[in-house]
Amino acid sequence: MNEQPIISVRNVNFYYDSFHALKDISLDFAPNSVTALIGPSGCGKSTLLRLLNRMNDLIDKIRLEGEIIFEGKNIYDPGVDPVEVRKRIGMVFQKPNPFPKTIYKNISYAPKLSGVNNSDELDAVVEQSLRQAVLWDEVKDILNRSAMTLSGGQQQRLCIARALAMKPDIILMDEPTSALDPISTAKIEELIDELKKDYTIIIVTHNMQQAARVSDKTGFFYLGSLIEYDVTKKIFTMPQVKQTEDYITGRFG
Amino acid sequence: MKPNHIFFSRETKERIIKRFFLFCAFISVGVLALILFSLFHGGMPLFETVNIKSFLLGMEWYPTFEPPEFGIFPLIIGSLIVTTISTCIAVPLSILLAVFTAEVAPDYLKNTVKVIIELLAGLPSVVLGFFGMVVIAPILQDSFNLPSGLNIINASLILSIMVVPTIASLSDDALRAVPKEYKEASYALGATRFETIAFVIIPGALSGIFTAIILGMARAIGETMVVLMVAGGAGAIPESIFDSVRPMPASIAAEMGEAPRNGLHYHALFAIGMVLFFITLAFNIVADYVSRRFKEGGSSSL
């Protein structure tokens, strides 16, 4: 794990209005790995995740100090277009949120925005993305049906496929299984394991077993600070900080 | 603890409250029923002398001639044409306005614009009619060299001003009701704000926007004062948008005072009211059907 980080957070402080949501956070994310961010509600882990693809830009009255370096450049430099950042760093949300359009149109949304109009090319991207998300066999005959007719687990895999279709480098997942049943959750976790060969995955989760199962490294957040960041095995077997231990053993949080 | 109700038990109170609300509901339904009854009671006798086909499709509206002619086809066409043109003017304007207030404008501007729209909605139609007569009519007359500026295009312009607030505020509600999750998904996929508005938010609000348009049209077709003042009043099929027309509500309002009570003319005006009623009823049914169907299937059922 001594490779160059794909994205690194450097001395980030973040404020919602006057609320200090993230306090001097610095951490590196390794490419082709899964990093889990854990911690009790309101600890800032989702905030950090949304900083990585500039989704927080959509909120008013925010302030950021520090840098987030992606490919050698601070993505918060004035010259950087957030739209370009989001094209490289995809996101999957807590609640499956497919568009109320057909399955096909959901997947082809991002490629079309990037100017792919050739229908053969689009077909290929749709198939490839759905295959990567292990959804192809289930939906290949109903591509023109509304995505809303799929089950929750299928919808979430569709959302993953939709993010894959824009060929990102990093995929951010914000509690992607918290609205799903155990079987769908297991499928998503398998999928995450598969995807890390080609992508870097950063996942926020409330489920500590999930963090232990899927991630290579884990960061523990508490009250806006990064308390401990290490290899997942180490965090879960011999945490260095008392708070981390208390949290993962369920004493609070 | 002692129960603190002295006169009635709780059940009785509940029952009284329930009855009271039921009673209120019945009053409004009852009033509507009475209005409909009087409408039909006044209109139906016409069809003892005039058959429905020659009433609806007849080309001549000469209610005071001897013998009188009761063909309202030119009036129907007049109503439909001003409604259609005003809708064509109002729809793009209102939707852009709604997108502006719901998605684009910063807060302070949003609120200012909404107040202005509400003011526009509250303008008495007679004032708008006045505006059409003294401002728009001379402009039309001069720039197109017409004998009179009271015509289809004038009525349509004024009606569209009246309809914009209706369509814009209902569309604004529909746009705001599009779940935030769709917007986030779109942004996270690298869409710009305008791509998000065009490909996600507007399609997501389409059923509401469509309902808004239909309700706006229903408002336009029933509007009386404006068409009475600025449509010109000629009961003939128009040949161009600069011709004068006599929409149905204008006929009723203009002639009711002169029609002898319980005469044929009087019944004929009520019958026109029935036609108007059925047209607006149809609009409402379509609006209801559309909003229901979309609610079930999302915009992919398009």
Side-chain angles (χ1 to χ4, degrees):
Chain A
M1 300 279 271
N2 287 326
E3 306 171 70
Q4 242 349 65
I6 185 165
I7 186 164
S8 39
V9 177
R10 297 207 186 134
N11 306 101
V12 161
N13 280 287
F14 184 74
Y15 305 83
Y16 290 112
D17 212 349
S18 60
F19 175 65
H20 197 174
L22 287 175
K23 295 167 189 160
D24 197 28
I25 306 289
S26 294
L27 78 167
D28 292 343
F29 297 99
N32 297 96
S33 70
V34 179
T35 307
L37 308 179
I38 61 170
S41 299
C43 68
K45 55 195 191 306
S46 289
T47 301
L48 178 66
L49 197 73
R50 284 164 166 266
L51 281 179
L52 297 177
N53 68 341
R54 296 196 61 169
M55 282 302 277
N56 280 337
D57 286 21
L58 305 175
I59 308 169
D60 289 335
K61 292 182 181 165
I62 53 163
R63 192 155 56 85
L64 176 89
E65 291 160 5
E67 293 183 322
I68 293 175
I69 307 291
F70 174 57
E71 295 185 328
K73 246 171 66 186
N74 179 10
I75 60 170
Y76 282 88
D77 268 348
V80 174
D81 181 0
V83 168
E84 292 308 314
V85 172
R86 295 186 198 123
K87 281 185 177 170
R88 307 290 305 281
I89 305 179
M91 187 161 211
V92 176
F93 297 85
Q94 185 170 359
K95 220 177 97 199
N97 59 351
F99 298 125
K101 302 174 187 280
T102 64
I103 294 170
Y104 187 96
K105 280 187 182 158
N106 263 280
I107 309 290
S108 64
Y109 187 78
K112 267 190 173 165
L113 291 180
S114 319
V116 180
N117 276 316
N118 177 324
S119 70
D120 289 340
E121 230 175 298
L122 279 178
D123 288 351
V125 176
V126 170
E127 176 169 351
Q128 192 201 353
S129 312
L130 285 168
R131 278 191 193 283
Q132 277 183 298
V134 204
L135 191 60
W136 176 250
D137 290 331
E138 291 160 62
V139 302
K140 64 175 183 237
D141 300 320
I142 53 167
L143 290 175
N144 286 318
R145 205 182 281 175
S146 167
M148 299 317 223
T149 59
L150 299 176
S151 73
Q154 287 174 322
Q155 286 188 9
Q156 195 60 304
R157 278 179 283 149
L158 181 77
C159 291
I160 294 173
R162 183 175 66 182
L164 294 174
M166 65 178 181
K167 306 201 185 329
D169 299 304
I170 302 176
I171 300 172
L172 309 174
M173 298 186 174
D174 191 357
E175 300 182 41
T177 62
S178 66
L180 304 181
D181 63 84
I183 293 171
S184 304
T185 300
K187 278 189 182 160
I188 303 263
E189 287 180 8
E190 276 169 39
L191 179 58
I192 291 172
D193 225 36
E194 194 60 35
L195 289 175
K196 86 176 186 190
K197 290 175 194 151
D198 301 310
Y199 304 91
T200 304
I201 293 167
I202 304 171
I203 177 171
V204 161
T205 178
H206 261 126
N207 177 333
M208 270 165 299
Q209 287 80 21
Q210 182 169 65
R213 281 192 300 262
V214 301
S215 69
D216 301 302
K217 285 185 90 176
T218 297
F220 170 63
F221 286 77
Y222 185 59
L223 298 178
S225 301
L226 178 60
I227 305 294
E228 193 169 354
Y229 180 48
D230 212 327
V231 174
T232 299
K233 260 200 199 105
K234 227 171 135 195
I235 291 269
F236 280 93
T237 50
M238 33 179 184
Q240 304 296 302
V241 184
K242 177 81 169 38
Q243 276 166 317
T244 316
E245 191 184 336
D246 286 352
Y247 184 69
I248 59 171
T249 52
R251 229 163 289 165
F252 82 99
Chain B
M1 243 173 76
K2 268 188 159 182
N4 61 359
H5 31 77
I6 307 160
F7 300 113
F8 301 116
S9 70
R10 177 174 301 148
E11 288 77 12
T12 317
K13 265 191 202 160
E14 293 276 341
R15 218 174 303 137
I16 290 172
I17 291 169
K18 208 172 141 188
R19 295 263 162 86
F20 176 71
F21 283 111
L22 201 64
F23 175 69
C24 293
F26 266 118
I27 286 183
S28 48
V29 173
V31 167
L32 181 67
L34 275 176
I35 291 173
L36 280 184
F37 173 78
S38 72
L39 182 66
F40 282 78
H41 183 72
M44 288 315 280
L46 176 77
F47 301 113
E48 287 161 14
T49 356
V50 181
N51 74 44
I52 293 188
K53 203 180 148 199
S54 66
F55 174 66
L56 289 176
L57 298 178
M59 302 297 272
E60 316 275 308
W61 175 253
Y62 297 125
T64 51
F65 277 31
E66 204 53 54
E69 293 277 354
F70 296 108
I72 62 162
F73 194 65
L75 313 188
I76 297 179
I77 293 297
S79 272
L80 292 182
I81 211 155
V82 292
T83 304
T84 311
I85 296 177
S86 63
T87 308
C88 291
I89 299 170
V91 164
L93 266 176
S94 327
I95 293 178
L96 290 176
L97 200 56
V99 168
F100 181 74
T101 53
E103 290 296 328
V104 182
D107 278 341
Y108 70 97
L109 210 62
K110 194 182 296 185
N111 295 332
T112 319
V113 172
K114 289 205 96 170
V115 168
I116 294 173
I117 294 176
E118 274 155 27
L119 272 177
L120 204 57
L123 269 187
S125 52
V126 68
V127 172
L128 282 168
F130 223 50
F131 176 73
M133 279 179 126
V134 301
V135 179
I136 299 197
I139 294 176
L140 285 174
Q141 213 172 333
D142 293 346
S143 32
F144 296 99
N145 217 356
L146 305 167
S148 157
L150 302 177
N151 54 23
I152 294 177
I153 193 71
N154 192 340
S156 304
L157 281 172
I158 301 289
L159 278 181
S160 67
I161 297 174
M162 293 198 62
V163 169
V164 161
T166 309
I167 304 183
S169 66
L170 290 173
S171 301
D172 176 86
D173 293 344
L175 290 167
R176 279 170 208 271
V178 172
K180 189 174 116 256
E181 285 80 10
Y182 297 164
K183 270 183 245 179
E184 284 196 321
S186 175
Y187 284 122
L189 289 166
T192 62
R193 190 184 208 181
F194 287 94
E195 286 163 342
T196 302
I197 290 172
F199 302 133
V200 175
I201 298 178
I202 292 182
L206 217 51
S207 68
I209 293 175
F210 195 75
T211 311
I213 294 173
I214 305 265
L215 292 178
M217 289 175 76
R219 167 130 206 244
I221 205 163
E223 169 52 34
T224 307
M225 193 46 81
V226 165
V227 291
L228 181 62
M229 290 171 83
V230 301
I237 305 268
E239 282 162 1
S240 87
I241 54 168
F242 297 115
D243 281 357
S244 143
V245 287
R246 188 184 192 85
M248 291 182 276
S251 257
I252 300 176
E255 297 166 26
M256 204 46 149
E258 302 151 16
R261 194 175 166 84
N262 291 326
L264 262 191
H265 187 190
Y266 175 89
H267 293 310
L269 292 177
F270 269 91
I272 295 177
M274 284 163 57
V275 173
L276 265 177
F277 166 75
F278 283 118
I279 292 176
T280 41
L281 182 69
F283 279 157
N284 279 299
I285 290 172
V286 171
D288 195 53
Y289 172 77
V290 169
S291 62
R292 228 174 265 234
R293 222 194 79 171
F294 280 78
K295 223 166 258 164
E296 285 156 12
S299 71
S300 61
S301 60
L302 267 181

